[in-house]
Amino acid sequence: MSLSDAIFFAALVTIVCAIGIAEKIIDVDMDQFLPENLKKAKIKRIFVERNTPLQGTNVQKEIKKAFESVLLPLGKADKNLLQKRMDMTFRRKMDHQINLLRKRKLCRDIRLTDVMPLPKNNFKRWNDDGREWRESILQCSSLERLVSPKSGKVVHQIYRKGSYLRILQSRHIRHSDRQGKNQEFYSDKLMITCPSCGAEVELSGQQIICPYCGGVIQSEFYDWQTEVFEIYKEMGANMRYTLLLFAGSIIMFICLTFSLWLINDIDISLTIGVVLTLLVFIGILSFISRDRAKQEKMREGIVRYSENYLRSCISEVLYKEKKEDLLDYGVDAIVLKKVVNTEQTTEITVQVFGKETYLPEKKKPYTKKVKKTMVLQRARYPERRKTDGAFFIEKDCPSCGANFIPDENNCCSFCGYSLQIDNAKWRIK
């Protein structure tokens, strides 16, 4: 068979196969073409007046409070609206962002509509590295704008029809509380009885005032600190399947073309072409599977490994001295390249992928991708104590920033962070 005939026949077979597979795996949602789901209708709903960004949504109270603790300060470029309890790295990031916005005389207004909390209008919870974590993701349509608060002039805006908002929070778990099998630490401390008047009061922090009798209530409850906030657009399942099908079709087309061109018997050439396509796919999947297994094995070699905490440490190292025009930044993927354990320390080599958004003066913001290779280390067993250390009467907590008197275990009485030794943090080598 000539090359042109082989190309034509291979293309025909590939198109027929692709259409057959597409009918099985791709589900076209016709609702997106309804009038209420078009951009114009969504923009109209986005600009409905609300006192708070999530007012009128079906988002549960705790999730709404977590997101609005970030959305409100950005929307007004006001640091006074920031929560008292934040991870120190995240607080420095928010402070820097609000300072830059105020310098440019702008605010970052994020408006939402058609909000759908995932999964099941609740936090996803887990615990690792001595912390309890919770994460919430909102699926929505969003309009992110940089606006002058005085004139109302919009400098820049991004509309995302399929948008996701993600917030990640954590709190330290006291060592004594970690000894049991409890998986939801302090979950029973959300409601307490006022010792003065007997009223049931919602506990939202270390110290609250009873709204009924005015009594001050102290508690050892460790409230949540925000670690990550991000807004992004994620590829839908149909788009992922379409790209995968497109890549598979290209591979199939190439294999069939060469088989039909080199082998005269059509039945044999088609069989060989299909077999080659399957072998290529199996090879790609085995490579991905082997790489994932390798990553998992390296993670298992790190005592009390937490990718979220490692991300926070890397972010602190990378952005200790921030560039003047840097508005927002984040560490996305972390790929472990090497793990070396000694008796005392763990040393890791990681490849870090992230993105940075810049806001130059009198120019539109722009985003660029970042890729770095870093070597970090920490104590191999972070909980082991070498010495008792000095006992401080007052101290600023390196985790939450609170000024406090350490408890009997020499831990922060607000967030539970251990002050005995600070060897759990990953430091650049």
Side-chain angles (χ1 to χ4, degrees):
M1 188 179 290
S2 67
L3 181 59
S4 59
D5 289 340
I7 291 172
F8 174 79
F9 198 67
L12 186 64
V13 173
T14 302
I15 290 169
V16 171
C17 290
I19 292 172
I21 296 171
E23 288 180 348
K24 301 292 184 182
I25 66 172
I26 297 176
D27 182 22
V28 180
D29 184 12
M30 300 304 294
D31 289 346
Q32 60 182 318
F33 301 109
L34 294 174
E36 61 267 25
N37 291 330
L38 298 178
K39 182 178 178 180
K40 186 178 179 180
K42 285 182 176 287
I43 291 290
K44 187 177 180 180
R45 292 199 295 273
I46 279 173
F47 282 105
V48 171
E49 279 299 319
R50 299 180 178 92
N51 293 326
T52 60
L54 293 172
Q55 183 186 19
T57 63
N58 64 342
V59 179
Q60 66 143 291
K61 185 179 177 181
E62 276 294 303
I63 296 177
K64 187 183 295 185
K65 181 181 175 183
F67 278 101
E68 290 183 343
S69 68
V70 179
L71 292 173
L72 286 171
L74 290 176
K76 296 183 181 294
D78 186 355
K79 288 196 289 186
N80 294 323
L81 295 175
L82 287 173
Q83 261 189 337
K84 292 182 179 179
R85 290 285 291 111
M86 283 184 173
D87 173 70
M88 290 294 285
T89 304
F90 183 72
R91 178 176 289 280
R92 284 194 289 269
K93 175 181 177 178
M94 291 292 292
D95 283 344
H96 175 77
Q97 186 171 160
I98 291 174
N99 286 337
L100 183 60
L101 287 169
R102 291 177 67 86
K103 186 178 178 181
R104 300 285 188 261
K105 297 180 181 178
L106 297 169
C107 60
R108 188 182 173 191
D109 183 33
I110 302 173
R111 293 173 175 260
L112 315 171
T113 190
D114 303 336
V115 179
M116 184 171 66
L118 303 173
K120 298 180 181 178
N121 202 9
N122 209 339
F123 286 101
K124 177 185 175 183
R125 297 171 184 265
W126 69 96
N127 47 83
D128 59 36
D129 202 20
R131 296 185 179 198
E132 185 181 8
W133 300 84
R134 69 179 188 181
E135 176 190 63
S136 178
I137 297 174
L138 300 181
Q139 184 180 355
C140 59
S141 294
S142 68
L143 183 67
E144 182 179 356
R145 308 185 301 162
L146 293 178
V147 188
S148 171
K150 289 185 178 180
S151 64
K153 180 182 177 183
V154 178
V155 176
H156 181 70
Q157 70 177 26
I158 304 172
Y159 170 72
R160 301 178 179 92
K161 184 177 181 180
S163 181
Y164 292 85
L165 268 72
R166 172 178 174 261
I167 198 159
L168 178 69
Q169 296 181 317
S170 77
R171 60 185 176 192
H172 291 279
I173 306 168
R174 291 179 302 188
H175 182 72
S176 57
D177 292 335
R178 278 185 245 145
Q179 304 307 310
K181 295 182 179 180
N182 185 16
Q183 296 300 308
E184 292 189 7
F185 302 91
Y186 316 127
S187 60
D188 59 335
K189 303 292 182 69
L190 294 176
M191 300 297 295
I192 62 169
T193 302
C194 175
S196 175
C197 67
E200 193 176 52
V201 181
E202 183 179 1
L203 188 63
S204 58
Q206 193 77 10
Q207 177 180 296
I208 60 167
I209 298 174
C210 176
Y212 300 98
C213 69
V216 178
I217 305 170
Q218 294 278 355
S219 174
E220 290 187 349
F221 167 74
Y222 299 147
D223 47 343
W224 297 95
Q225 62 182 36
T226 303
E227 303 271 348
V228 174
F229 169 80
E230 57 184 347
I231 178 169
Y232 58 94
K233 186 176 181 179
E234 193 173 76
M235 190 182 295
N238 278 338
M239 182 59 70
R240 288 198 299 270
Y241 291 148
T242 301
L243 291 176
L244 187 63
L245 183 60
F246 179 71
S249 298
I250 291 175
I251 294 171
M252 187 175 188
F253 171 72
I254 294 171
C255 293
L256 286 174
T257 298
F258 280 101
S259 298
L260 290 166
W261 183 38
L262 298 173
I263 302 171
N264 292 325
D265 192 304
I266 293 179
D267 291 339
I268 296 174
S269 60
L270 285 174
T271 304
I272 292 175
V274 172
V275 170
L276 283 173
T277 303
L278 291 174
L279 288 174
V280 171
F281 264 114
I282 292 170
I284 293 171
L285 291 174
S286 63
F287 176 79
I288 294 171
S289 177
R290 187 169 63 250
D291 190 56
R292 286 180 178 175
K294 184 180 177 183
Q295 286 290 306
E296 190 60 37
K297 187 176 180 180
M298 283 192 283
R299 291 190 192 105
E300 290 173 359
I302 302 172
V303 176
R304 290 180 64 200
Y305 177 74
S306 168
E307 187 172 299
N308 285 303
Y309 185 56
L310 174 59
R311 183 176 282 107
S312 177
C313 293
I314 290 173
S315 184
E316 182 180 355
V317 169
L318 286 178
Y319 302 104
K320 204 166 189 176
E321 296 180 3
K322 303 175 188 70
K323 300 169 188 176
E324 185 181 353
D325 295 336
L326 183 62
L327 175 67
D328 198 6
Y329 54 87
V331 175
D332 295 333
I334 299 173
V335 180
L336 292 169
K337 292 293 183 182
K338 189 178 180 182
V339 176
V340 179
N341 285 313
T342 66
E343 190 175 339
Q344 299 294 333
T345 64
T346 296
E347 181 179 295
I348 59 173
T349 303
V350 295
Q351 200 168 51
V352 180
F353 299 86
K355 56 180 179 289
E356 299 173 345
T357 301
Y358 290 86
L359 180 59
E361 192 170 3
K362 297 180 180 179
K363 293 182 181 179
K364 288 186 177 181
Y366 64 92
T367 300
K368 71 175 187 179
K369 294 182 179 179
V370 178
K371 179 181 175 182
K372 291 182 180 292
T373 300
M374 306 174 69
V375 179
L376 302 108
Q377 66 177 15
R378 74 170 184 182
R380 186 175 182 185
Y381 300 99
E383 287 193 313
R384 285 185 181 173
R385 294 176 55 181
K386 294 181 181 179
T387 59
D388 286 339
F391 186 86
F392 296 93
I393 301 302
E394 279 193 352
K395 187 174 178 68
D396 287 336
C397 177
S399 176
C400 69
N403 186 261
F404 68 99
I405 297 175
D407 63 15
E408 67 276 8
N409 296 314
N410 206 12
C411 297
C412 171
S413 53
F414 282 86
C415 69
Y417 184 81
S418 174
L419 297 164
Q420 295 161 350
I421 44 177
D422 190 25
N423 60 359
K425 181 175 284 190
W426 292 100
R427 303 183 186 279
I428 194 164
K429 185 176 179 184

